[in-house]
Amino acid sequence: MSIKLCQWDITGSCNLNCTYCREKATEGLHHLPLEAILRIIDQFADLKVRMVSISGGEPLTLKFLPQVLEYLRGKVETIGLTTNATLVSERNVGFIRDFFDGVQVSLDGSSAEIHDRFRGEGSFNLTTTAIRLMVERGINVMPRLTICRENLSDTAEYVRLAHRLGMKSAYLRRMIPAGNSKGVDPIPADRLKEAFRVAFQVGQELGLHVGSADYFSQLEFDAKEREKAERNLAEHPGELLSGCSIGTEAFYLAQDGKVLFCPYLPVYCGDMTKEHLSEIWATSKMFKISRNLRWNIEGKCGRCRFKMACGGCPAYVFLTTGNLTSSDGGCWVDEPA
């Protein structure tokens, strides 16, 4: 048995409090003791978890992170970091280069005026300085912009900034209405489409890869991804191919050791401090629902011929409709089966 990915919010502590953050003001336990974290890593090894993506909070606030990574390095194939990068410096950039195979940096605009509106005054300069430093040291840095109304018209300039900073890719994802952004009206699909369109277009002009966790945007604007999806659908009809992989190839682990459905939809699946990951993976009712969800989607997404390659975002769907099997209202693709 092998699991492809664990997204691990290793700490709830953060030096910022971003306006749309899914964590909101994290209360209670900020992280487990080192001993408990090492026992969790042993469970990764038992189930052959191949990649661990470490996030938070802000992982670089965790004082014993080097000890965690030293232990983790021998247990999994790939380790990723998601960070706001404001704590990256000459002092720790070597450690980041040595332990992480890739670093995803939150970058929410092409200027301080836009980015700092979300993350606080001075954060843009700290983040872009850190990106330059990491790129100079040969670290694979990937920026990610969360599309909100405030940066909806800035996606082209964001991609141009990624190029100027020396990165080889740029990622975007729409805001999910959870945490600090709970209750915020979702961006209409047509406006979201335009924001993605200009980002992908500029990426093509610059020779920079543009990607998104909102897979329907790649189907629309990335010819290679669309061809890949069409080929896989033809060769493997009726099979789950891509899109949300919670419960099939991936799981989310919160800072207190609980396995939840995903960061945006924190439905309880198990607790790795009390039960083994193998038991959670095999018996979680929510994982069983997730594994069968794609066949039960209703409406436009249920009729779409790309359903088994995309399927929308279950968290977005539930948070905007209250029904896990509804169609994804943020998707503009209308492809009948």
Side-chain angles (χ1 to χ4, degrees), residues 102-115:
V103 177
Q104 180 174 279
V105 176
S106 301
L107 184 61
D108 289 318
S110 65
S111 67
E113 180 183 2
I114 299 173
H115 179 90

Side-chain angles (χ1 to χ4, degrees), residues 1-106:
M1 180 178 179
S2 177
I3 298 173
K4 182 178 181 179
L5 170 67
C6 170
Q7 180 181 341
W8 189 4
D9 282 356
I10 201 167
T11 178
S13 296
C14 190
N15 60 319
L16 303 180
N17 184 24
C18 303
T19 58
Y20 64 81
C21 182
R22 59 176 167 78
E23 280 294 302
K24 202 169 172 119
T26 304
E27 299 175 356
L29 180 66
H30 278 180
H31 61 76
L32 292 169
L34 177 59
E35 296 77 13
I37 287 176
L38 299 184
R39 288 195 293 271
I40 282 174
I41 292 173
D42 287 336
Q43 296 183 48
F44 294 161
D46 290 343
L47 264 72
K48 297 182 175 60
V49 175
R50 302 198 296 278
M51 177 178 178
V52 173
S53 179
I54 292 180
S55 184
E58 172 49 58
L60 296 179
T61 64
L62 189 65
K63 292 182 179 179
F64 53 74
L65 183 60
Q67 295 160 268
V68 172
L69 295 171
E70 187 72 47
Y71 194 74
L72 181 61
R73 173 52 70 193
K75 306 287 186 179
V76 300
E77 296 174 11
T78 306
I79 306 174
L81 170 68
T82 297
T83 175
N84 61 48
T86 60
L87 300 179
V88 176
S89 66
E90 289 281 359
R91 179 182 56 83
N92 61 12
V93 70
F95 145 76
I96 293 171
R97 180 194 59 212
D98 292 343
F99 281 106
F100 292 104
D101 299 288
V103 177
Q104 180 174 279
V105 176
S106 301

Side-chain angles (χ1 to χ4, degrees), residues 277-296:
L277 177 58
S278 59
E279 181 181 356
I280 297 169
W281 192 255
T283 64
S284 164
K285 292 181 179 179
M286 195 63 197
F287 281 168
K288 291 178 180 179
I289 290 171
S290 180
R291 289 164 189 156
N292 292 282
L293 184 59
R294 205 72 63 88
W295 287 269
N296 293 283

Side-chain angles (χ1 to χ4, degrees), residues 118 216 240 270 289 329:
F118 299 106
F216 51 80
L240 186 61
I289 290 171

